[in-house]
Amino acid sequence: MNTTPSAGRHPQPGPPPHPDETRQWLLVPVLFTALTLVAGGLSYAASDLPRSPLWLSLPYLIPLGLAALTWRPPRTPAQRTNRIVAGGIGAVLALVYAKGVEVVLIGIGLAVWLIQGD
């Protein structure tokens, strides 16, 4: 009979997890989610969007999606950094979205007025 010496043994557990993997990842997602919601609310309230059609507020889902990326627990330091950057970009986008929409709509209105004439 040709058996290996480890045939009846249980496999050895791997090395202990890296300290970064065992730390809780709650402060960053909570912080960026709250920051994105506050920035979006302030941006929306300070603009003319509340008097506009509801579909103009749908792109706020993009900053919220970037904030939602931070809820996935990172497995490496690079993923941790990428998720922090994504949350920061989401908060900034939520802050500047409403004014950006106003500038684009004013530009479109001005272009239509110039093309049509008076």
Side-chain angles (χ1 to χ4, degrees):
M1 204 171 195
N2 214 357
T3 61
T4 59
S6 64
R9 296 184 189 161
H10 295 288
Q12 295 281 335
H18 193 270
D20 284 339
E21 293 176 352
T22 59
R23 283 193 276 176
Q24 292 294 322
W25 176 257
L26 287 177
L27 178 64
V28 172
V30 169
L31 176 69
F32 280 118
T33 302
L35 191 62
T36 302
L37 289 173
V38 168
L42 290 174
S43 172
Y44 188 77
S47 71
D48 291 328
L49 287 181
R51 292 178 292 281
S52 298
L54 184 61
W55 63 268
L56 283 174
S57 62
L58 286 178
Y60 276 111
L61 295 176
I62 294 170
L64 286 174
L66 288 171
L69 281 177
T70 62
W71 284 95
R72 292 191 62 198
R75 285 182 251 146
T76 65
Q79 285 179 344
R80 183 177 298 257
T81 303
N82 291 343
R83 294 195 177 129
I84 289 172
V85 169
I89 290 172
V92 170
L93 281 177
L95 187 62
V96 300
Y97 167 70
K99 290 298 177 183
V101 166
E102 287 178 358
V103 167
V104 168
L105 290 177
I106 289 171
I108 291 172
L110 186 60
V112 167
W113 176 72
L114 287 174
I115 290 170
Q116 178 202 10
D118 191 63

